[in-house]
Amino acid sequence: MIIAWNLFTPGAALVGGLLIGLAAALYLLGVGRIAGISGIVATPLRALLGQSKLLAQPTELLFLAGLLLAPWIWQMAAPLPAAAVDVGPLALVVAGLLVGVGVRMGQGCTSGHGVCGLSRFSLRSLVNVLAFMGAGFVTVFLLRHAL
């Protein structure tokens, strides 16, 4: 493994982390809910399936709009980082389904458990973070060394 030190940007990482923490804190203080993306996405999806009214969820819709607009806002200040996908569409679909199953099993996603849960010293979130990080480490190791 080679570390590309010229791509190491601690300033940008610090600012990004602070903005994520600020957004999570403001969401918790303003709405009284954890800023878990799976829960925020689930609310409009339930509305689209006819289980609730979509317009009754303005906070979730604004949060999602912010997530979708963020790359375009970022491009006003700097170019987007290059992304490389080394697998085919089938692998992406399978990976997405596995993540979805994990989110349901863990009753939350990486943002809910990793950002918000750990900052509240939640034992359940700690167990979930250790589980999904461990699964990620094992998966990367197997894909790079065993297969």
Side-chain angles (χ1 to χ4, degrees):
M1 182 170 113
I2 298 171
I3 298 174
W5 290 106
N6 59 324
L7 300 176
F8 179 58
T9 57
L14 177 63
V15 170
L18 290 172
L19 288 173
I20 289 170
L22 178 64
L26 289 174
Y27 195 73
L28 181 61
L29 293 172
V31 181
R33 290 191 54 208
I34 298 297
I37 305 306
S38 62
I40 292 171
V41 169
T43 303
L45 285 178
R46 275 191 224 102
L48 291 174
L49 295 173
Q51 297 174 352
S52 66
K53 294 188 181 218
L54 186 60
L55 295 176
Q57 315 301 330
T59 308
E60 286 85 357
L61 293 174
L62 288 172
F63 196 99
L64 290 173
L67 289 175
L68 295 173
L69 291 172
W72 285 282
I73 295 169
W74 177 271
Q75 281 184 319
M76 290 182 210
L80 288 173
V85 179
D86 298 333
V87 297
L90 179 62
L92 289 176
V93 168
V94 170
L97 290 172
L98 287 172
V99 168
V101 168
V103 165
R104 295 296 293 172
M105 287 175 61
Q107 297 177 342
C109 59
T110 55
S111 56
H113 286 300
V115 175
C116 300
L118 290 180
S119 66
R120 294 181 305 112
F121 302 109
S122 166
L123 180 60
R124 184 177 78 145
S125 290
L126 176 62
V127 170
N128 275 292
V129 168
L130 292 174
F132 64 69
M133 292 298 289
F137 295 153
V138 169
T139 301
V140 169
F141 178 82
L142 290 176
L143 289 174
R144 293 193 181 201
H145 301 289
L147 298 176

